[in-house]
Amino acid sequence: MKDHQKTTKIDYRFLKIAISLGYRNLGATWPNPSVGCVIVKNNHIVGVGNTACKGRPHAEKIALEQAKSNANDSTVYLTLEPCSHFGKTNPCTSELIKAKVKRVVCPLKDPNPRVNGKGFELLRSHGIVVDNTPLLLKEIKELNEGFITSIEKKRPYITLKLAMSLNGKIATKENKSSWISGDKSRLFVQMLRSKHDAIMIGTKTAFWDNPRLNLRDQFKNLPQPVKIILDKNLKLFEQLDMNKSITNHKTFLVHDVNLKKEKTKNLKAKGINTLGISTLKNGNLDLNDLFKKLSKLGLTRVLVEGGGTLATSLLESNLVDKLILFTAGIILDKEGIDGIHLNLSNAINLDICDRYTLDNSRIIGNDVAHFWNIK
């Protein structure tokens, strides 16, 4: 990358605004990334944009339409390299060239092979200064972590969320878990849901809790995330009323791919999507196969709210990118359900154990939430 210029407080300020714009529709733009764009002329903002719901129009197009002729000789701040390939619309690089912008500040190259630096080079070839200074690069990568993971690992970015007691239990021995965490934590989880493309739960959680898996309270008018429920043998409908969980075409029941087609046909007739997944030798659904197929559907960010069995399987399969643990000020019975029950040797050497990185922690009501990055 070329054309690094001296970072200024002004660049920092406007790039920060672009990042905040990118978060506005995060979770609702898949399969496209949620990009923020700020157009500045004479140190004044003349246009702003963020990727619209369902991925179009792009942030650059929205901002340029606001700026109009003021885009001429302006500086554009972006949270991802502008696209250079033709799709349903003209590439954003062409629009920026047409608008005669003077400078583009963007620290992050698009990992998509169709772009991957081509957008920057096209801008440079038309005399536009491209500044790839690593200013706020960590924050910008966090905004784009779902999109980056979908390109590099061919699966969505996976966040595992668990609410646990002080002694590490997620439910009583009778599977009662409502509510371990407090009201403020549950409201915070609504915000977390709104920033993910999909919410996933396992069979046991669906059976015992039959959750709605939707956005509520002040988030209820935002685009609803896709609901993914693991149901290997498609028996949940026979065991409980799932009407509150299954409300629209955004629900997927994940099952053994070898099930008889009659079962899936009956569900599809009711407007319910099914997704067949291969199974492992132990009979469990192959989670790697599941997430690859979810990525092909366009999902980039999945929040897993399943119980201990699903959480353990994800960790054992190295399929967790971020672990969010809500610890509540309550102690449950010793025979309660463990949140994580990895099968580790008693003689294990702690020096070779994986060490997760604490991203941040915060007090939410009477609970403490820890955010762990897992490599």
Side-chain angles (χ1 to χ4, degrees):
M1 293 183 178
K2 306 173 184 177
D3 302 335
H4 288 204
Q5 295 190 349
K6 185 177 179 180
T7 300
T8 67
K9 290 183 179 179
I10 291 175
D11 288 337
Y12 183 91
R13 171 192 171 195
F14 291 125
L15 203 51
K16 267 284 192 182
I17 295 173
I19 293 171
S20 67
L21 287 168
Y23 275 103
R24 283 190 175 180
N25 280 341
L26 187 66
T29 65
W30 61 275
N32 290 346
S34 186
V35 176
C37 176
V38 178
I39 302 177
V40 177
K41 189 170 185 177
N42 299 323
N43 293 336
H44 292 283
I45 294 175
V46 295
V48 297
N50 57 277
T51 309
C53 291
K54 299 184 180 181
R56 294 204 192 305
H58 289 184
E60 298 93 325
K61 180 176 177 58
I62 294 172
L64 286 169
E65 287 180 350
Q66 282 188 17
K68 296 184 171 60
S69 61
N70 285 321
N72 186 5
D73 212 30
S74 66
T75 295
V76 180
Y77 295 86
L78 285 167
T79 59
L80 186 67
E81 177 184 4
C83 60
S84 56
H85 57 284
F86 284 87
K88 294 181 179 179
T89 58
N90 290 336
C92 293
T93 48
S94 298
E95 299 296 330
L96 292 168
I97 292 166
K98 182 179 177 182
K100 297 181 180 180
V101 305
K102 180 180 181 180
R103 178 173 174 243
V104 171
V105 179
C106 181
L108 185 60
K109 182 169 68 172
D110 189 334
N112 187 334
R114 293 186 297 175
V115 186
N116 199 31
K118 298 182 182 71
F120 291 146
E121 291 305 318
L122 186 60
L123 293 175
R124 290 188 179 103
S125 70
H126 283 80
I128 297 172
V129 175
V130 177
D131 190 343
N132 300 129
T133 176
L135 178 67
L136 294 169
L137 182 59
K138 179 178 180 292
E139 290 84 352
I140 289 176
K141 282 185 175 180
E142 288 175 355
L143 169 63
N144 288 283
E145 58 195 2
F147 180 67
I148 293 171
T149 303
S150 69
I151 298 294
E152 294 182 349
K153 297 185 178 181
K154 309 300 181 187
R155 66 163 175 81
Y157 184 90
I158 302 167
T159 302
L160 172 62
K161 186 274 294 182
L162 291 170
M164 305 173 70
S165 66
L166 290 174
N167 57 332
K169 306 294 182 180
I170 59 171
T172 67
K173 61 182 178 181
E174 291 85 12
N175 277 287
K176 302 297 182 183
S177 60
S178 301
W179 296 100
I180 289 178
S181 56
D183 291 342
K184 290 183 178 180
S185 288
R186 296 198 296 277
L187 184 60
F188 185 81
V189 169
Q190 293 294 313
M191 186 277 291
L192 283 178
R193 287 181 174 184
S194 73
K195 299 304 179 185
H196 286 78
D197 307 342
I199 307 169
M200 177 184 292
I201 59 172
T203 307
K204 291 182 180 179
T205 300
F207 179 79
W208 289 106
D209 297 345
N210 196 10
R212 285 175 286 178
L213 301 178
N214 61 351
L215 301 181
R216 301 186 289 276
D217 303 313
Q218 61 259 52
F219 303 96
K220 64 182 179 181
N221 293 323
L222 296 176
Q224 292 289 335
V226 174
K227 303 173 184 180
I228 302 168
I229 302 172
L230 306 190
D231 186 9
K232 178 183 172 183
N233 298 309
L234 293 178
K235 289 185 176 180
L236 285 173
F237 258 88
E238 303 169 8
Q239 298 170 332
L240 69 159
D241 179 7
M242 298 186 69
N243 287 329
K244 68 177 183 179
S245 295
I246 306 214
T247 55
N248 55 38
H249 66 283
K250 285 189 173 182
T251 300
F252 284 87
L253 292 183
V254 179
H255 62 88
D256 182 348
V257 71
N258 295 312
L259 279 186
K260 293 181 179 179
K261 292 184 179 180
E262 287 74 13
K263 280 198 170 186
T264 58
K265 284 182 179 180
N266 291 336
L267 291 171
K268 288 179 181 177
K270 297 177 182 178
I272 301 165
N273 297 304
T274 60
L275 186 61
I277 300 298
S278 59
T279 56
L280 302 171
K281 290 182 179 179
N282 61 9
N284 294 334
L285 292 172
D286 185 341
L287 296 177
N288 280 289
D289 184 34
L290 167 59
F291 286 110
K292 285 180 182 178
K293 288 182 177 177
L294 292 179
S295 183
K296 288 180 179 179
L297 291 174
L299 296 174
T300 64
R301 294 169 56 87
V302 176
L303 175 64
V304 180
E305 297 188 13
T309 301
L310 179 55
T312 301
S313 296
L314 288 169
L315 288 168
E316 288 177 337
S317 302
N318 295 316
L319 286 172
V320 178
D321 298 295
K322 186 177 288 292
L323 174 63
I324 304 177
L325 291 181
F326 289 84
T327 304
I330 186 174
I331 295 177
L332 301 184
D333 57 278
K334 66 178 182 179
E335 295 180 4
I337 309 299
D338 290 327
I340 300 171
H341 40 83
L342 295 171
N343 185 22
L344 299 176
S345 169
N346 291 330
I348 192 166
N349 182 353
L350 295 182
D351 291 335
I352 64 173
C353 282
D354 291 331
R355 296 281 180 175
Y356 304 150
T357 303
L358 182 63
D359 187 25
N360 67 79
S361 60
R362 62 186 71 182
I363 297 173
I364 305 177
N366 196 45
D367 307 325
V368 179
H370 292 91
F371 299 76
W372 298 93
N373 291 326
I374 299 180
K375 301 276 177 141

